[in-house]
Amino acid sequence: MQKLSNSCSGALRTFSFWLANGTVGYPLLEGIDYSCIFEEPSSLERAYAIFANVLEMDDKGMILNAKYAEK
């Protein structure tokens, strides 16, 4: 059974930290209060779905576009 690569799990972990910390999308979203995303579970689910669906990996599982997926 395959598991997520360290690169992929790291990208998800970093995205989660930035989202919870209020700094995701910096500097693009700097100063924008998106804390309401935590009040509606489907909004948070949508943010993760978009992030995960935009991520691209090479053949070794290395994430190629984490910053782009974050935006």
Side-chain angles (χ1 to χ4, degrees), residues 7-64:
S7 179
C8 185
S9 63
L12 286 169
R13 182 180 62 247
T14 302
F15 178 74
S16 298
F17 174 78
W18 287 333
L19 189 64
N21 194 28
T23 57
V24 75
Y26 182 84
L28 183 64
L29 297 178
E30 184 178 12
I32 296 175
D33 180 18
Y34 56 84
S35 61
C36 62
I37 197 171
F38 299 108
E39 297 170 14
E40 180 57 48
S42 64
S43 295
L44 188 56
E45 178 185 18
R46 187 178 314 122
Y48 274 94
I50 292 169
F51 179 75
N53 284 319
V54 173
L55 281 179
E56 294 178 357
M57 289 186 259
D58 65 12
D59 293 337
K60 296 179 182 178
M62 298 298 293
I63 298 297
L64 303 173

